[in-house]
Amino acid sequence: MEKRSIAVLTSGGDAQGMNPAVRAVVRAAVHKRFDIYLIYEGYKGMILGGNYIRKAGWSSVGGILHKGGTSIGSARSDAFRTEEGRRQAVFNLISRGIDALVVIGGDGSLTGANVLRQEWASHVDVLLREGKIDNALAEKYRTIFIAGLVGSIDNDMCGTDMTIGADSALFRITEAVDAIISTAASHQRTFVIKVMGRNCGYLALMAGLSCGADYVFIPEDPPKPGEWEENMCALLKAGRESGRRDNIVIVAEGARDTEGNPIGSTYIKQVLEERLGEDTRITILGHVQRGGAPSAYDRYMTTLLGCTAVEKIASSSAEDEPVLIGVQENDVITVPLMKCVNDTQEIREMIKAGDYSRAMDLSGGVFAEAYETLKVMIRTLPSGADQGQRKLRIAILHGGGPAAGMNTAALTAVRIGLEHGHTMLGVSDSFQGLINGKIREMDWMSVGGWVNIGGAELGTNRKPLSGTDYYAIARTIEEQKIDAIIMIGGWSGYQGIYNMYKRREDFSAFNIPMVCLPATINNNLPGTERSVGSDTALNNIMHVVDKIKQSAVASKRCFVVEVMGRNCGFLALISGIATGAERVYLHEEGVKLSDLQKDLEKLVDGFSKGKRLGLMIRNERANHLYTTAFMAALFEEEGGALFDVRQAILGHLQQGGDPSPHDRILAIRLSRLCIEHLIGECLAGRKSVSFIGQQKGKVDFVDMSRWTDLVDTEFQRPKSQWWMNLRPIARSMAESPHDTEY
Ligand code: ADP
């Protein structure tokens, strides 16, 4: 492989997740034995050169994974907007032999990168003419390869579903709004909450969905002046009349009406007070949204993005066009940077020109779909639009252990079903409720407040089906005239629906459409790369491990942390990437005594060379004999006076907690698709049984007939697990190829 010399910088507005991205770029480059430079203070540092561009190594990016902002600084640079400034930047890069650049920034920074790339050759000519570089350098560095990573909390860039920082910003917002809801409800107050997003309403829209807001203003859908005031007041009044104790209005900072007048929080407050007499308060979240530690997603996904950027550099030549490394659903993708920059600017222009519907289309199907869902969710009653058709009775049940986001999915199922004019039935306590007939009709407000509470209000358990259970369930389905079933849950829920599917010949009542929605912290289900609840569990683990790491570093200590997952190592591996664990033990790989011996040698070597902290993450079933206690005791005994070892078994805190915004959004999206799918199946007279999921960049249904092909029934996990491919990345981020650096 040709040796490359890479520089990385962060530019524009800071975003949580920039640090993990920089760390990944540096460490991936070190593994490839490339030269790697950190450019401090963005383009400003690129122009100033000198100590602003520093050669980096493995340990230059130690201890930054969990930090918000950007440790290498970001600045806005007017000089970089000038040709002279950019020429000086080209000189600084060439004179250090840099032939590839990773820019982590917003659309402005990436536009700047694109301009730099386009002008590069002409700058080289001028530098040669001016005698600043010689022929050899001019020949060797005729061009540069650029990889862009989008750092922006607003999620406002085309070409990627998620920008770095958007998930963490949503975390800050949902935490704040959840807290405000409880005080608002106590006093029956109305809150107007202003969130960031000058050109893009992603944060406002997703926060509105995730927190069950009652009204949302986004730049992409400006309302008519005079009309929105009426609409908003009517909706909020109806909410109060139906028993809502809190009223939450979320407004994006760039929200405007169709005349282009900004929709300010003060004016919204005035309208609500004057027309409804509502006790209204304003909360402007401001820079809190940018601050704080990156979320689990903003650590592991950005790590993948950074590693992919270096892979791309290794496989490209300097002549290749600049690329953007982005995300599609759960997949990392590489797309032409130029196109993304142009599309993003086109949306801005469309919004400025008032062409909102095209801007909404270009923003991506998921955005428009989420907005449509929001319009349903903020109602206080179904619109009645679909009345008059055959009225279906759709049952909702859970199965498996509790997972954060189950309630969010159940709430969405109820409201989407009711909106389409059907009867929604809540089944208590999983399959047990189907057996006993413990079923109740759910109305619109019966699920009020479920959007953000952990656990499962309907009840869930892991009861397996056997013997007469099938007969009892068939009788309930007939008695209750159930037309379709949605099961929101984990492995035992899927297994239960699969068993009913297999017994269709014996029980004709089972010949109805059924669908499973993945909701388990273990993320061990076929047909999907992510299950609802797994993101919350990852964040729960990460928060605890962050604290454990802080305590450990004070006293030369190694922690062996045990996480859940049953036989599936997803939580262990991904939390390992998100927390910077040096070793992850998985059931899929097993644990050998020789592995432990090697790990111990590394620990001894590391601590004797000045290392202060060790972190090993172990899946709860990695090996049934080499338990967490055994491993901790082994390391402790053999480590002698060099270091202490402690074990931490995280237990049920991983299943609890309020759902993360990622889980809420996934739950809402999948649940809506499931209910509309079931309705479609029923009305078309089809009786399919399937499971929904997010796979290879899209969301789809997989027929239940594929269950046995796809799963390892002994270990209760998919036969093929996408995240297993991330093991080399986890290792490369944790282990320096040079054994002397700590
Ligand atoms: P963001 O990257 O977060 O969108 P800015 O728009 O402020 O933030 O851009 C950050 C920096 O990128 C600017 O200070 C400037 O140095 C550079 N930049 C932005 N747009 C351009 C452009 N059109 N040409 C050259 N440089 C640009």
Side-chain angles (χ1 to χ4, degrees), residues 157-264:
M157 185 90 188
C158 294
T160 184
D161 287 354
M162 281 301 271
T163 57
I164 296 172
D167 185 66
S168 306
L170 255 185
F171 245 104
R172 296 293 102 74
I173 299 172
T174 49
E175 273 163 4
V177 179
D178 286 351
I180 287 171
I181 286 174
S182 54
T183 162
S186 309
H187 298 274
Q188 296 217 35
R189 275 190 184 130
T190 297
F191 273 82
V192 181
I193 301 165
K194 187 167 184 170
V195 303
M196 283 188 172
R198 248 171 296 157
N199 303 298
C200 175
Y202 178 87
L203 291 177
L205 168 58
M206 294 306 173
L209 261 185
S210 305
C211 299
D214 304 281
Y215 213 79
V216 175
F217 294 97
I218 58 172
E220 289 85 347
D221 186 24
K224 281 208 183 98
E227 214 175 272
W228 67 258
E229 291 91 337
E230 293 285 320
N231 278 342
M232 177 181 71
C233 291
L235 252 170
L236 265 57
K237 188 161 173 273
R240 283 276 187 249
E241 281 164 5
S242 63
R244 223 176 237 167
R245 293 190 56 85
D246 58 275
N247 268 335
I248 303 291
V249 177
I250 297 185
V251 53
E253 59 179 344
R256 286 172 189 275
D257 65 22
T258 45
E259 308 286 303
N261 308 308
I263 299 180

Side-chain angles (χ1 to χ4, degrees), residues 11-13 43 75-78 80-81 86 105-109 111-112 115 151:
S11 168
Y43 290 129
R76 298 219 149 86
S77 165
D78 287 335
F80 195 76
R81 292 182 185 271
R86 292 192 291 271
D107 76 315
S109 306
T111 306
V115 173

Side-chain angles (χ1 to χ4, degrees), residues 459-517:
T460 187
N461 58 54
R462 293 202 176 88
K463 179 188 158 43
L465 296 181
S466 61
T468 55
D469 291 346
Y470 295 99
Y471 174 74
I473 292 175
R475 209 187 49 212
T476 305
I477 292 176
E478 278 164 3
E479 279 174 10
Q480 294 277 344
K481 297 190 170 47
I482 294 172
D483 293 297
I485 295 177
I486 175 173
M487 195 294 300
I488 300 160
W491 186 273
S492 31
Y494 274 56
Q495 184 75 56
I497 297 291
Y498 173 71
N499 290 345
M500 286 169 63
Y501 163 76
K502 290 302 284 178
R503 307 281 313 258
R504 279 178 148 188
E505 285 195 1
D506 305 329
F507 300 96
S508 62
F510 297 166
N511 281 298
I512 54 172
M514 294 186 263
V515 69
C516 300
L517 186 157

Side-chain angles (χ1 to χ4, degrees), residues 256-277:
R256 286 172 189 275
D257 65 22
T258 45
E259 308 286 303
N261 308 308
I263 299 180
S265 44
T266 316
Y267 178 57
I268 300 174
K269 171 179 153 83
Q270 190 190 330
V271 169
L272 291 168
E273 285 180 339
E274 283 173 6
R275 300 195 189 184
L276 294 179

